[in-house]
Amino acid sequence: MGVMNIMLFHSMYGLRPAVHAAADRLRAAGHEVRVPDLFEGHTFDSVEEAEAFREETGKEELLKRAVLAAAPYSDQGLVYAGFSLGASVAQTLALGDEKARGLLLLHGTSDIAENASVDELPVQLHVADPDPYETADWLNSWYLDMQRTGADVEVYRYPGAGHLFTDPELPDFDREAAELAWKVAIGFLATL
């Protein structure tokens, strides 16, 4: 319990003011937060532009950038967190870091390697219901796979919310769902 060292990864839209605002919210709760820029200064207003950039950059390059950002701090025991695309990056890093303290996923998950294994890693997921990118079938399978790895998983679903419902700069924003998600997430971090 106490101050967590959080590595917070941005969504496909890039490192925008909403990500910094989220980091400030976590800092106000007493945590240290770092927000690496995996897109090296690029931000996007449309999913299409963002998707094209992500494809051009490549998944391996984005993961490499994330690993390089986290490496100097991983010995301290990081909590990995992220929004959508950033959540998938956070998940990949957390499952590969034996010193990870926790995993906070907002709006996204990722594939899980067959050999992934953790020792009761606390994991919390906040996701819209329904979510076009995180379907019910996918989430059921993901949940079972995460449990298989040894993770201690909690899933919170937000009926009627848009995909990136915590981002006040996007049409998906849902103030009520966002406030509830942040309240639960900050409570989760306090238990780590």
Side-chain angles (χ1 to χ4, degrees), residues 12-180:
M12 195 182 327
Y13 290 97
L15 185 54
R16 296 162 35 260
V19 181
H20 289 294
D24 288 344
R25 184 185 287 249
L26 295 170
R27 288 183 189 109
H31 305 293
E32 288 186 31
V33 185
R34 289 172 183 81
V35 285
D37 186 352
L38 303 182
F39 286 2
E40 299 179 332
H42 295 90
T43 59
F44 302 96
D45 294 323
S46 77
V47 172
E48 295 77 19
E49 289 176 321
E51 186 67 42
F53 179 82
R54 186 182 66 86
E55 289 292 322
E56 183 182 314
T57 305
K59 183 178 181 179
E60 294 305 315
E61 177 61 24
L62 292 175
L63 280 174
K64 178 180 154 195
R65 292 175 186 178
V67 168
L68 290 172
Y73 310 100
S74 62
D75 276 352
Q76 302 167 18
L78 289 172
V79 173
Y80 292 92
F83 299 97
S84 194
L85 168 69
S88 69
V89 169
Q91 177 186 305
T92 301
L93 268 59
L95 293 180
D97 180 354
E98 61 188 29
K99 293 185 178 180
R101 298 280 304 274
L103 175 59
L104 175 60
L105 303 171
L106 296 149
H107 322 295
T109 61
S110 184
D111 294 332
I112 300 166
E114 285 291 321
N115 61 349
S117 176
V118 294
D119 186 17
E120 296 182 10
L121 178 71
V123 178
Q124 191 173 85
L125 168 65
H126 297 268
V127 65
D129 182 16
D131 187 306
Y133 303 103
E134 304 288 327
T135 65
D137 286 347
W138 166 260
L139 287 174
N140 289 337
S141 174
W142 174 86
Y143 179 82
L144 294 172
D145 285 346
M146 282 298 276
Q147 285 195 314
R148 176 188 48 77
T149 71
D152 180 13
V153 184
E154 298 177 349
V155 177
Y156 292 86
R157 307 210 49 186
Y158 297 83
H163 174 64
L164 277 163
F165 64 84
T166 61
D167 190 328
E169 298 174 2
L170 296 175
D172 286 347
F173 181 59
D174 182 318
R175 183 176 308 282
E176 189 176 325
E179 288 305 317
L180 178 57

